[in-house]
Amino acid sequence: MQAVTGGTTTMRDAAADVRTPIPSLVSRVRLATSVEDPSWARGASRWSPGSCERPSLWNTSALMSCLLLAVSHRAEPGTAQELPARFLDREFGRHRVTRFEDIDFPGTLVHRPTRRFLRETGLPEDAHPFRRDADDLPLPTLAEYGEEHPGHPVPAGAERLVRLGRLADGAHVVVHGTTGAVLTWRTPDGTLHPLVADVSALALTLWALRRAALLEAVAGIEPA
């Protein structure tokens, strides 16, 4: 904001108008997967990924920033975020990540960012607590899944919900075909509950949980 007084232009609280840009999702992930702490002096030695010599505080800080970003930050509503190329492959293994083709999507999955993310980045097949069913291709709608597995009530609009897999507690993970929101469907009551913002947040959260488990293993922390 500028104010003009007596022909002299002055800046009002110029410092207050300075906005620190929010790092993008890709920037946060690159920080968390880098092999050196950028806050160290130039010329600092580099560490191999997973090395015990990497500063544990840096590992944990970068990890938590990604996890928090995954569950709370979206560039704009309904937009799945892009991740670095082969991001999931490097963590889970190339043959343990499923990428989908258009033929795998039901007609009710019309949310383009979700379709693009599932085609180009995919989802890990087995990443605790999430697991995909190997025979679930093409991806079924929740209505179709309910027909094949009677005994559990499906919610209204089940034809617009696409099943992606299940969690360790038995809840099914579904994505809304129109909005891209990721929810859980719990049996036997058939209720829906919000899980994460979109499929990119789901993938990044699974990555962060795996990283946390690896850090605990390196530190010798026994799982609870």
Side-chain angles (χ1 to χ4, degrees):
M1 294 290 293
Q2 292 184 337
V4 180
T5 305
T8 302
T9 302
T10 60
M11 297 299 293
R12 186 179 66 184
D13 293 331
D17 289 335
V18 176
R19 299 291 184 267
T20 301
I22 298 175
S24 69
L25 180 61
V26 172
S27 296
R28 291 289 186 93
V29 172
R30 283 174 177 164
L31 286 176
T33 55
S34 68
V35 294
E36 71 177 1
D37 182 346
S39 70
W40 283 48
R42 182 177 300 177
S45 59
R46 301 176 67 89
W47 293 273
S48 60
S51 170
C52 297
E53 295 179 359
R54 281 185 67 185
S56 60
L57 180 60
W58 161 244
N59 275 295
T60 305
S61 174
L63 169 66
M64 292 309 299
S65 69
C66 283
L67 182 55
L68 291 172
L69 189 64
V71 298
S72 65
H73 173 71
R74 300 166 75 182
E76 59 183 78
T79 302
Q81 304 297 299
E82 294 182 359
L83 294 176
R86 305 302 177 189
F87 170 72
L88 296 178
D89 291 7
R90 292 195 296 269
E91 186 66 29
F92 297 99
R94 185 166 60 90
H95 299 294
R96 298 179 68 88
V97 175
T98 299
R99 291 184 181 81
F100 303 84
E101 300 179 5
D102 284 333
I103 196 173
D104 297 321
F105 302 139
T108 52
L109 182 55
V110 296
H111 190 251
R112 291 184 178 180
T114 297
R115 293 174 68 102
R116 183 176 65 251
F117 186 90
L118 293 177
R119 279 197 312 265
E120 298 177 2
T121 304
L123 289 174
E125 297 176 358
D126 190 359
H128 186 79
F130 173 81
R131 183 181 181 88
R132 277 196 34 76
D133 293 337
D135 57 349
D136 250 2
L137 283 178
L139 290 170
T141 65
L142 199 53
E144 293 169 338
Y145 185 86
E147 291 176 358
E148 296 179 2
H149 301 80
H152 300 300
V154 296
E159 69 282 354
R160 294 192 298 273
L161 297 168
V162 181
R163 186 179 180 277
L164 299 176
R166 72 172 69 229
L167 299 178
D169 64 0
H172 300 256
V173 178
V174 299
V175 59
H176 196 287
T178 304
T179 68
V182 177
L183 311 98
T184 58
W185 171 56
R186 297 187 177 276
T187 57
D189 59 0
T191 57
L192 289 171
H193 303 271
L195 183 60
V196 289
D198 50 47
V199 288
S200 63
L202 173 63
L204 185 54
T205 301
L206 294 172
W207 172 86
L209 290 172
R210 178 178 169 87
R211 281 274 154 171
L214 292 175
L215 288 175
E216 288 183 350
V218 169
I221 301 174
E222 293 292 334

